[in-house]
Amino acid sequence: MRDRAAALLLCAALAPGHAQTADAALDHRVQRVTEELRCLVCQNQTIADSHAELAVMLKHQVRDMLARGATEREAVDFMVQRYGDFVLYRPPVKAATWLLWFGPFGLLLAGLGLLFARLRARQLDIESDASDEELPA
Amino acid sequence: MIPELGNLALILALCLAVLQGTLPLAGSLTGNARWVALARPVAVGQALFVTFAFAVLVHAFAVNDFSVAYVAANSNTALPLVYRITATWGGHEGSLLLWVQTLALWTIAVAAFSRQLPRATVARVLAVLGLVAIGFLCFMLFTSNPFDRALPAPPDGRDLNPLLQDVGMIVHPPLLYMGYVGFSVAFAFAIAALVGGQLDAAWARWARPWTLVAWTFLTLGIFLGSFWAYYELGWGGWWFWDAVENASFMPWLVGAALIHSLAVTEKRGAFRNWTVLLAILAFSLSLLGTFLVRSGVLTSVHAFASDPRRGLFILVFLAIVIGGSLALYAWRAPTIGLGGRFALFSRESLLLVNNVLLLVAAATVLLGTLYPLFLDALGGGKISVGPPYFETVFVPLMIPVLALIAVGPAVAWKNGSLRDVAVRLRPAALLAAVLGAAAFLVLHVTPAVALGLLLAAWTLIATAQHLVRNLLHAPRGTPFVARATRQGAAWWGMVVAHAGVGIFVIGVTLVKGTETADDVSLRVGATALAGDYLFKFESLEKIRASNYVGARGTFTVTRGGERVATLYPEKRFYTVQQMPTTEAAIDRGFARDLYVSLGELTKDGTWIVRVQHKPFMGWIWAGALVIAAGGLLAAIDRRYRTRRVPAADAARAAPDIAIPVPSPSRSA
Amino acid sequence: MKRYAIPLGIFAILLVFLGVGLRLKPQEVPSPFIGKPAPAFTLTRLDAADRTFSPQEMRGKVWLFNVWASWCTSCRAEHPVLVDFAKQATVPIVGLNYMDTRDEGGRWLDKFGNPYALSVFDADGKVGTDYGVYGVPETFVIDRQGKIRLKLTGPVTPEIIQKTLLPLIRELSHA
């Protein structure tokens, strides 16, 4: 195993080549799609970043699909059909995830609302006390 | 023989912790002065035994004692000495011992620096720390003993995870733990206050420096973890909203809320219940983080080898500590009372808004992190919640925070004038708006980036204005140094920390909004482009070290024909663990980072290389460090270090506000 | 003063969820195909590159579809269990040789035994992806109508056979 690794590393330098600039737009689309997908093997990286064999293979599949004219939506759906919602890093918005997507904003409104209500009540308290104090003895 | 001494030391520490956790507490309630006096010596004794055990484990690593199972699992004869020593906290059992060791350090610190506190309070605080120590010591002794033997001893160890063989990774856990565990001090103060039924400005003054120091350590710990991930993991990312990253971020957010809340309780005696609750919450989130990392309940690259049995132990511990403290809060908080009065528009109310915003942010992170678990537990299937979610939801939550950071310091205590503040801050707001618009119209950044820059500029300009205004507002002829020092370190800490936030936001906005990257397959001699920078793959050579082999590439970076940098990314293969790692090469600059990493060698002999141009990346690190510096400054304010008379406190509390501040309540 | 007990209440709920969470397996990816028709394909056979196989040919039968590869160490662990299972001739097992080479796949079967009625050769893993394969070995139970009824990830053990596979196969065979 160690020899194989060393040998592989040695094999790197051959004839000079050119960086692929022709498919830059396609690359960007592939990047955008695969950045939203979870690598199922390592599970803590996106398919875009992972070097696991499965991830590389799926990245190629996405590229093929996009090159053949599929939309980004269709490429993502392809993955979801086969791997379920688990593969999406952006959870779908459905009844089961309403709390997830709308909870934070709802919590913000509730928190600020409650705070405002309590502070106003206190303000009125202070003002009524002050006016009480002004009553002539 | 020696590891058994370590085990014995832990057992003795546990015995002392039991004494520490019970007698002083009982004594403080029944008036038993002897028991109360036990607190310091017993606590220090417990801490010393823990330290001895820790030293024993380090020693076992240093001498390659593979008869200790934990050493065999995390070390190797080929591992350099410095990493052998730091491998002490490379695995689950050892990191637990580090946790308890950190608690020992904080315990000793509290025992040493609490002379001005009433004896009953010290007894209670140390007792609570003792109870926490009991939990962790039991956890270690019953489920995760680092001193378990592996007999017959293997001839060599399984080596430390290669990802941990790095300076950043050495320092990250201790710093982080100093933060997590440090919140236990604020927690202990809170419990002591609930038990004693007494809470006032003096309590806040005692608790605040401890909290600030803990929070500063946590800031540094999180910063370092992020900094390390950036150069070690190879894809140029620095925050992934991973479950364990979130587990450290939540206590940080609540800790920040706590610091601000303590400021109010200290100055005005207000928010007492709320501050106590926050202190409980901050430490609870620290403990929750411990649970999440070690129980296997969430998938994370950080997670230690998960074991549901250990998870159950921690869960029970959580139930007792957090449940117990929240029950105590429910019972005793009403007796503590509400505190000072303030108007709807006042610094107090703005600080409450700060708290609401930070807590909603923390709750959001918690929701996102635990949602997959919630849904799965309810039978709703498995989903993933990752960066796209957090970025979509969290960033907008930060907008109000950034809008208000610079406003708070400008508003008077108790009763502020909205008109006065608006007039005072209008120029800064206009200037920030102009800068934001300029970025959008002239530099053609996206609206989101423009907004981020606007908010950052607003924070920095308004904070600078506040700074200058306060320095100017002094009797004529006051020398500059005197002007600076009369504000007090706490005020400087606030200014610095708020400025740090602005710097950080500039970095994040520009990196996320304008960075360019390219993932290409290259042969030697080929080039890749990121932004204006051309990266040329010059050569590749083999490298070898004591426990890895690898390849190092040489890349020259040019811009407009001029050579800018030469970078040497590496791909290593650690032979014992059979694990590859990527060592990215980064050229750090004031206005940009240039980043190259070697990915994989493909079958046709080309390397997958990632090159990146990240504008203002360094500002993210700078911002974090400046925030930490602010925290430290605030902690060393003189009023925390010397005994003060209440009247002097009142005068010192608000040097820049004309409205007289009532003196804090007189109870000690 | 009930509102002071609210934090405690929220924590109690959280605790329940965390407790339940300890029993769950967060890494396992459930299959979206349960109850749905097994994706169609036509692949060449591993032993005979000129002959093909499609899942339709198995209509009317209950069968197992096992994903394996010569480079997969877990498959090596699972293999004897499958060989034993095949000997009992309960249901046929069709193998999917995943991202392998014909030579190595064939040699592996020669060396370690062949429990499969036949194996198909999926060199680039496309069929595997169509089935939602993410780690080898994986095993599918497919019913008479060609629907996937169960997906197992990881090696099949005798315990899994006794507790999960055989009862399900019995149920499906009587349907």
Side-chain angles (χ1 to χ4, degrees):
Chain A
M1 189 60 206
R2 187 172 162 164
D3 294 327
R4 196 149 78 98
L8 276 176
L9 290 166
L10 268 179
C11 287
L14 290 170
H18 296 288
Q20 290 134 315
T21 50
D23 311 284
L26 179 63
D27 277 346
H28 278 133
R29 292 179 72 208
V30 172
Q31 188 74 10
R32 269 210 301 277
V33 169
T34 52
E35 259 170 10
E36 298 263 327
L37 299 173
R38 186 174 194 172
C39 170
L40 300 143
V41 174
C42 17
Q43 298 204 347
N44 292 289
Q45 288 177 282
T46 61
I47 286 180
D49 294 328
S50 173
H51 293 301
E53 274 202 48
L54 179 75
V56 173
M57 196 235 315
L58 291 177
K59 203 167 169 182
H60 284 317
Q61 276 205 283
V62 168
R63 172 178 234 115
D64 282 343
M65 278 193 283
L66 291 177
R68 259 182 262 135
T71 63
E72 289 175 28
R73 177 88 244 162
E74 283 165 3
V76 171
D77 283 343
F78 178 88
M79 292 297 166
V80 175
Q81 253 172 39
R82 284 150 183 75
Y83 294 104
D85 285 338
F86 186 83
V87 78
L88 291 173
Y89 260 138
R90 182 188 299 266
V93 184
K94 49 187 196 192
T97 58
W98 278 345
L99 180 60
L100 179 65
W101 280 107
F102 303 120
F105 191 60
L107 204 56
L108 180 68
L109 290 179
L112 290 176
L114 266 167
L115 181 66
F116 186 72
R118 286 209 68 206
L119 290 181
R120 270 221 12 115
R122 277 173 140 230
Q123 171 91 327
L124 294 173
D125 252 358
I126 295 173
E127 282 168 9
S128 74
D129 276 357
S131 61
D132 283 345
E133 284 164 17
E134 280 166 19
L135 287 174
Chain B
M1 176 57 198
I2 296 179
E4 273 68 32
L5 287 181
N7 198 12
L8 184 63
L10 285 181
I11 296 173
L12 290 174
L14 177 61
C15 296
L16 285 181
V18 170
L19 291 177
Q20 179 190 341
T22 51
L23 295 181
L25 191 59
S28 76
L29 292 169
T30 58
N32 188 329
R34 278 223 324 272
W35 282 6
V36 165
L38 275 179
R40 277 206 187 88
V42 172
V44 171
Q46 179 254 115
L48 289 176
F49 274 119
V50 167
T51 309
F52 178 76
F54 190 79
V56 166
L57 191 60
V58 172
H59 175 258
F61 271 97
V63 302
N64 282 318
D65 183 355
F66 296 122
S67 69
V68 177
Y70 178 70
V71 176
N74 289 286
S75 184
N76 187 278
T77 46
L79 192 62
L81 179 64
V82 64
Y83 292 130
R84 292 214 304 273
I85 292 176
T86 62
T88 307
W89 53 86
H92 167 70
E93 294 86 344
S95 73
L96 270 182
L97 186 51
L98 179 68
W99 214 103
V100 178
Q101 171 67 70
T102 312
L103 184 60
L105 289 174
W106 281 101
T107 303
I108 293 177
V110 169
F113 295 116
S114 56
R115 298 289 158 186
Q116 76 275 32
L117 272 72
R119 290 221 181 87
T121 308
V122 175
R124 289 176 190 142
V125 169
L126 288 175
V128 173
L129 293 179
L131 292 172
V132 174
I134 292 175
F136 277 88
L137 285 166
C138 282
F139 184 48
M140 259 201 299
L141 287 168
F142 293 123
T143 74
S144 324
N145 198 324
F147 297 110
D148 278 344
R149 292 281 198 178
L151 295 168
D156 209 339
R158 290 208 290 278
D159 204 13
L160 182 63
N161 186 327
L163 289 175
L164 304 180
Q165 295 182 27
D166 177 275
V167 169
M169 267 298 106
I170 294 173
V171 188
H172 164 67
L175 284 177
L176 210 59
Y177 285 15
M178 282 296 280
Y180 281 147
V181 181
F183 282 137
S184 69
V185 178
F187 172 76
F189 271 105
I191 301 296
L194 286 172
V195 167
Q198 209 175 358
L199 195 73
D200 55 15
W203 173 86
R205 195 175 62 245
W206 300 327
R208 197 158 182 237
W210 296 98
T211 312
L212 279 164
V213 173
W215 182 83
T216 303
F217 271 114
L218 191 59
T219 309
L220 290 171
I222 296 175
F223 151 74
L224 205 53
S226 200
F227 189 76
W228 172 85
Y230 176 59
Y231 70 75
E232 182 63 33
L233 297 180
W235 62 86
W238 46 275
W239 187 259
F240 199 63
W241 297 103
D242 173 78
V244 174
E245 287 175 330
N246 295 347
S248 69
F249 192 41
M250 288 186 280
W252 188 89
L253 288 167
V254 175
L258 178 60
I259 289 170
H260 289 84
S261 187
L262 275 168
V264 179
T265 309
E266 181 189 355
K267 285 203 160 54
R268 305 269 302 132
F271 301 5
R272 293 181 246 182
N273 288 331
W274 179 242
T275 305
V276 164
L277 184 60
L278 283 180
I280 294 176
L281 211 55
F283 185 56
S284 301
L285 286 169
S286 295
L287 289 181
L288 184 67
T290 310
F291 172 76
L292 293 177
V293 181
R294 296 166 199 271
S295 61
V297 142
L298 295 173
T299 352
S300 164
V301 66
H302 278 89
F304 293 98
S306 60
D307 181 353
R309 197 173 55 107
R310 289 173 175 168
L312 189 60
F313 191 106
I314 306 180
L315 194 65
V316 170
F317 182 55
L318 279 185
I320 296 174
V321 173
I322 303 177
S325 46
L326 288 177
L328 185 64
Y329 177 78
W331 173 35
R332 301 285 279 174
T335 63
I336 284 173
L338 293 165
R341 293 175 146 192
F342 49 90
L344 185 59
F345 187 73
S346 59
R347 196 181 303 185
E348 289 94 327
S349 56
L350 278 179
L351 283 170
L352 275 174
V353 172
N354 154 304
N355 274 197
V356 169
L357 292 171
L358 287 174
L359 254 87
V360 170
T364 303
V365 175
L366 186 66
L367 185 66
T369 307
L370 291 181
Y371 209 80
L373 189 157
F374 290 154
L375 211 54
D376 198 7
L378 293 173
K382 289 207 161 85
I383 61 165
S384 299
V385 179
Y389 168 80
F390 286 104
E391 279 164 20
T392 309
V393 168
F394 190 82
V395 173
L397 278 178
M398 287 294 106
I399 294 176
V401 175
L402 291 174
L404 293 173
I405 272 189
V407 175
V411 178
W413 289 105
K414 192 168 180 189
N415 200 338
S417 159
L418 182 54
R419 228 171 55 99
D420 287 350
V421 170
V423 164
R424 196 202 299 192
L425 293 178
R426 200 168 38 203
L430 285 175
L431 185 53
V434 164
L435 288 172
F440 181 60
L441 297 168
V442 174
L443 300 175
H444 302 294
V445 297
T446 62
V449 172
L451 178 63
L453 290 176
L454 188 160
L455 288 169
W458 158 238
T459 302
L460 285 168
I461 296 171
T463 303
Q465 180 188 354
H466 184 73
L467 170 66
V468 169
R469 200 163 182 281
N470 272 55
L471 289 180
L472 290 176
H473 176 74
R476 269 162 50 102
T478 316
F480 180 76
V481 174
R483 283 170 192 265
T485 53
R486 70 190 276 273
Q487 305 296 333
W491 179 87
W492 278 101
M494 171 196 77
V495 169
V496 168
H498 287 185
V501 173
I503 298 171
F504 179 80
V505 172
I506 291 179
V508 173
T509 307
L510 287 172
V511 167
K512 287 260 147 195
T514 63
E515 65 176 340
T516 45
D518 209 4
D519 252 317
V520 280
S521 292
L522 294 182
R523 287 183 198 282
V524 174
T527 59
L529 195 66
D532 295 338
Y533 295 84
L534 192 71
F535 294 74
K536 183 163 183 214
F537 192 178
E538 301 283 359
S539 65
L540 188 80
E541 56 171 359
K542 267 195 352 176
I543 54 171
R544 169 178 243 119
S546 68
N547 56 345
Y548 64 84
V549 293
R552 177 189 297 136
T554 304
F555 282 77
T556 50
V557 188
T558 55
R559 182 193 195 195
E562 257 190 55
R563 157 105 51 127
V564 170
T566 312
L567 297 169
Y568 303 97
E570 290 179 20
K571 185 83 183 176
R572 295 183 189 169
F573 187 76
Y574 283 79
T575 47
V576 177
Q577 288 221 352
Q578 301 270 301
M579 190 193 291
T581 65
T582 322
E583 308 290 319
I586 306 172
D587 182 55
R588 302 178 197 271
F590 180 77
R592 90 289 178 279
D593 270 15
L594 297 169
Y595 188 101
V596 184
S597 63
L598 293 173
E600 295 299 306
L601 183 62
T602 62
K603 294 198 181 94
D604 52 349
T606 58
W607 277 93
I608 296 178
V609 177
R610 178 175 274 213
V611 297
Q612 296 189 11
H613 169 236
K614 302 171 97 78
F616 290 84
M617 183 71 204
W619 288 51
I620 294 179
W621 313 127
L625 289 173
V626 171
I627 293 174
L632 190 60
L633 270 174
I636 61 176
D637 190 289
R638 209 176 311 132
R639 70 175 182 266
Y640 302 129
R641 290 183 278 133
T642 54
R643 196 188 276 271
R644 300 216 121 250
V645 176
D649 271 349
R652 222 197 191 301
D656 56 333
I657 304 298
I659 298 167
V661 173
S663 58
S665 79
R666 229 134 293 155
S667 47
Chain C
M1 290 282 135
K2 287 249 183 69
R3 63 194 163 110
Y4 288 105
I6 293 177
L8 184 61
I10 298 176
F11 176 66
I13 298 173
L14 180 64
L15 206 59
V16 169
F17 274 110
L18 294 177
V20 173
L22 283 175
R23 294 165 179 282
L24 302 170
K25 296 200 194 92
Q27 281 105 330
E28 260 183 26
V29 184
S31 172
F33 290 109
I34 308 291
K36 297 222 182 84
F41 64 85
T42 307
L43 283 180
T44 57
R45 292 169 55 144
L46 181 64
D47 51 343
D50 52 332
R51 293 173 64 189
T52 61
F53 168 84
S54 285
Q56 266 114 293
E57 296 170 33
M58 302 298 283
R59 278 291 167 88
K61 290 189 232 173
V62 177
W63 54 292
L64 296 183
F65 191 35
N66 173 264
V67 184
W68 63 276
S70 64
W71 46 260
C72 155
T73 42
S74 307
C75 305
R76 177 76 195 85
E78 165 190 75
H79 209 66
V81 178
L82 288 180
V83 168
D84 271 339
F85 182 76
K87 288 204 184 105
Q88 279 147 32
T90 334
V91 288
I93 316 178
V94 175
L96 180 78
N97 186 222
Y98 181 71
M99 299 189 77
D100 212 339
T101 63
R102 280 190 188 278
D103 282 344
E104 302 211 347
R107 240 177 296 151
W108 199 81
L109 287 181
D110 288 337
K111 190 166 171 198
F112 297 116
N114 191 346
Y116 304 114
L118 65 102
S119 273
V120 285
F121 183 59
D122 185 16
D124 54 7
K126 285 240 167 73
V127 171
T129 308
D130 279 342
Y131 273 75
V133 169
Y134 65 93
V136 217
E138 290 186 11
T139 309
F140 297 84
V141 178
I142 302 178
D143 69 9
R144 294 183 198 274
Q145 291 81 32
K147 292 212 190 98
I148 294 179
R149 301 301 287 256
L150 179 69
K151 178 191 181 193
L152 295 165
T153 38
V156 172
T157 62
E159 199 190 333
I160 293 179
I161 291 185
Q162 286 304 315
K163 291 222 178 106
T164 319
L165 280 182
L166 285 178
L168 178 63
I169 292 172
R170 240 170 277 145
E171 187 196 321
L172 295 175
S173 302
H174 293 315

